[in-house]
Coordinates of all heavy atoms in Angstrom, one line a residue:
E42 N -31.5 -3.1 -0.7 CA -30.2 -3.4 0.0 C -29.5 -4.5 -0.7 O -28.4 -4.9 -0.4 CB -30.6 -3.9 1.4 CG -31.0 -2.6 2.3 CD -30.9 -2.9 3.7 OE1 -30.2 -3.9 4.1 OE2 -31.6 -2.1 4.4
S43 N -30.0 -5.0 -1.8 CA -29.2 -6.1 -2.5 C -28.4 -5.4 -3.6 O -27.5 -6.0 -4.0 CB -30.2 -7.2 -3.2 OG -31.0 -6.5 -4.2
S44 N -28.6 -4.1 -3.8 CA -27.6 -3.3 -4.6 C -26.4 -3.0 -3.9 O -26.4 -2.9 -2.6 CB -28.3 -2.1 -5.1 OG -29.3 -2.3 -6.0
P45 N -25.3 -2.8 -4.6 CA -24.1 -2.5 -3.9 C -24.2 -1.2 -2.9 O -24.8 -0.3 -3.3 CB -23.1 -2.2 -5.0 CG -23.7 -2.7 -6.3 CD -25.1 -2.7 -6.0
N46 N -23.5 -1.3 -1.9 CA -23.2 -0.2 -0.9 C -22.4 0.8 -1.7 O -21.5 0.4 -2.4 CB -22.6 -0.6 0.4 CG -22.7 0.5 1.3 OD1 -23.5 1.3 1.4 ND2 -21.9 0.4 2.3
V47 N -22.7 2.1 -1.6 CA -22.0 3.3 -2.3 C -21.3 4.1 -1.3 O -22.1 4.7 -0.5 CB -23.0 3.9 -3.4 CG1 -22.2 5.0 -4.1 CG2 -23.7 2.9 -4.2
I48 N -20.1 4.3 -1.4 CA -19.3 5.0 -0.4 C -18.5 6.2 -1.2 O -17.8 6.0 -2.1 CB -18.3 4.1 0.3 CG1 -19.0 2.8 0.8 CG2 -17.4 4.9 1.2 CD1 -18.0 1.7 1.0
Q49 N -18.7 7.5 -0.7 CA -18.0 8.6 -1.2 C -16.6 8.6 -0.5 O -16.6 8.5 0.8 CB -18.7 9.9 -1.1 CG -18.0 11.1 -1.7 CD -18.7 12.4 -1.5 OE1 -19.9 12.3 -1.3 NE2 -18.0 13.5 -1.5
L50 N -15.6 8.8 -1.2 CA -14.2 8.8 -0.7 C -13.5 10.2 -1.3 O -13.9 10.7 -2.1 CB -13.5 7.7 -1.0 CG -14.0 6.3 -0.6 CD1 -13.6 5.1 -1.4 CD2 -13.9 6.1 0.9
S51 N -12.6 10.5 -0.4 CA -12.0 11.8 -0.7 C -10.7 11.7 -1.8 O -10.4 12.6 -2.4 CB -11.4 12.6 0.5 OG -10.5 11.7 1.2
R52 N -9.9 10.6 -1.7 CA -8.9 10.3 -2.6 C -8.8 8.9 -3.2 O -9.3 8.0 -2.6 CB -7.6 10.6 -1.8 CG -7.5 12.1 -1.3 CD -6.2 12.4 -0.6 NE -5.0 12.0 -1.3 CZ -4.4 12.8 -2.2 NH1 -4.7 13.9 -2.5 NH2 -3.2 12.4 -2.8
E53 N -8.2 8.8 -4.3 CA -8.2 7.7 -5.0 C -7.4 6.4 -4.4 O -7.8 5.4 -4.4 CB -7.6 7.9 -6.4 CG -8.4 8.7 -7.3 CD -8.3 10.2 -7.1 OE1 -7.5 10.6 -6.2 OE2 -9.1 11.0 -7.7
E54 N -6.3 6.8 -3.7 CA -5.6 5.8 -3.0 C -6.3 5.3 -1.7 O -6.4 4.1 -1.4 CB -4.1 6.3 -2.4 CG -4.1 7.4 -1.5 CD -4.0 8.8 -2.1 OE1 -4.7 9.0 -3.2 OE2 -3.5 9.6 -1.5
E55 N -7.2 6.1 -1.3 CA -8.1 5.6 -0.1 C -9.1 4.6 -0.7 O -9.4 3.6 -0.1 CB -8.9 6.8 0.5 CG -9.9 6.5 1.5 CD -10.7 7.7 1.8 OE1 -10.8 8.8 1.1 OE2 -11.2 7.7 3.0
A56 N -9.6 5.0 -1.9 CA -10.6 4.0 -2.6 C -9.8 2.7 -2.9 O -10.4 1.7 -2.7 CB -11.0 4.7 -3.9
M57 N -8.6 2.7 -3.3 CA -7.9 1.3 -3.6 C -7.8 0.6 -2.3 O -7.9 -0.6 -2.3 CB -6.5 1.7 -4.3 CG -6.6 2.4 -5.6 SD -7.6 1.6 -6.9 CE -8.0 3.1 -7.8
G58 N -7.4 1.2 -1.1 CA -7.3 0.6 0.0 C -8.5 0.0 0.6 O -8.5 -1.3 1.0
M59 N -9.6 0.8 0.6 CA -10.8 0.4 1.3 C -11.5 -0.6 0.4 O -12.0 -1.6 0.9 CB -11.8 1.5 1.4 CG -11.3 2.5 2.6 SD -12.5 3.9 3.0 CE -13.8 2.9 3.5
L60 N -11.7 -0.4 -0.9 CA -12.4 -1.3 -1.7 C -11.5 -2.6 -2.1 O -12.1 -3.7 -2.4 CB -12.9 -0.7 -3.0 CG -14.2 0.2 -2.8 CD1 -15.4 -0.6 -2.3 CD2 -13.9 1.4 -1.9
G61 N -10.2 -2.3 -2.2 CA -9.3 -3.4 -2.5 C -9.3 -4.4 -1.5 O -8.8 -5.5 -1.7
A62 N -9.5 -4.1 -0.2 CA -9.5 -5.1 0.9 C -10.7 -6.0 1.0 O -10.7 -7.0 1.7 CB -9.3 -4.2 2.3
L63 N -11.8 -5.7 0.2 CA -13.0 -6.6 0.4 C -12.7 -7.9 0.0 O -13.3 -8.7 0.7 CB -14.1 -5.9 -0.5 CG -14.6 -4.6 0.0 CD1 -15.7 -4.0 -1.1 CD2 -15.4 -4.8 1.3
P64 N -11.9 -8.2 -1.0 CA -11.8 -9.6 -1.2 C -11.2 -10.4 0.0 O -11.5 -11.7 0.1 CB -10.7 -9.7 -2.4 CG -10.9 -8.5 -3.1 CD -11.3 -7.5 -2.0
L65 N -10.5 -9.8 0.8 CA -10.1 -10.4 2.2 C -11.2 -10.8 3.0 O -11.0 -11.8 3.9 CB -9.0 -9.4 3.0 CG -7.9 -9.0 2.1 CD1 -7.2 -8.0 3.0 CD2 -7.0 -10.1 1.9
A66 N -12.3 -10.3 2.8 CA -13.5 -10.7 3.5 C -14.6 -11.4 2.6 O -15.6 -11.6 3.0 CB -14.3 -9.4 4.1
G67 N -14.1 -11.9 1.5 CA -14.9 -12.7 0.6 C -15.9 -11.8 -0.2 O -16.9 -12.3 -0.7
K68 N -15.6 -10.5 -0.4 CA -16.4 -9.6 -1.1 C -15.7 -9.0 -2.3 O -14.5 -9.1 -2.5 CB -16.9 -8.4 -0.1 CG -17.6 -8.8 1.1 CD -18.9 -9.2 1.0 CE -19.6 -9.5 2.3 NZ -20.9 -10.1 2.2
L69 N -16.4 -8.3 -3.3 CA -15.9 -7.6 -4.3 C -16.2 -6.2 -4.4 O -17.3 -5.9 -4.2 CB -16.3 -8.4 -5.7 CG -15.7 -7.8 -7.0 CD1 -14.1 -8.0 -7.0 CD2 -16.3 -8.6 -8.2
G70 N -15.2 -5.4 -4.7 CA -15.5 -4.0 -4.7 C -15.2 -3.4 -6.1 O -14.6 -4.0 -6.9

Side-chain angles (χ1 to χ4, degrees):
E42 288 196 18
S43 65
S44 287
N46 193 19
V47 183
I48 308 157
Q49 180 178 337
L50 301 163
S51 58
R52 294 185 52 91
E53 293 80 7
E54 64 271 34
E55 177 186 22
M57 299 304 157
M59 288 185 66
L60 282 298
L63 287 177
L65 300 173
K68 307 279 185 192
L69 180 61

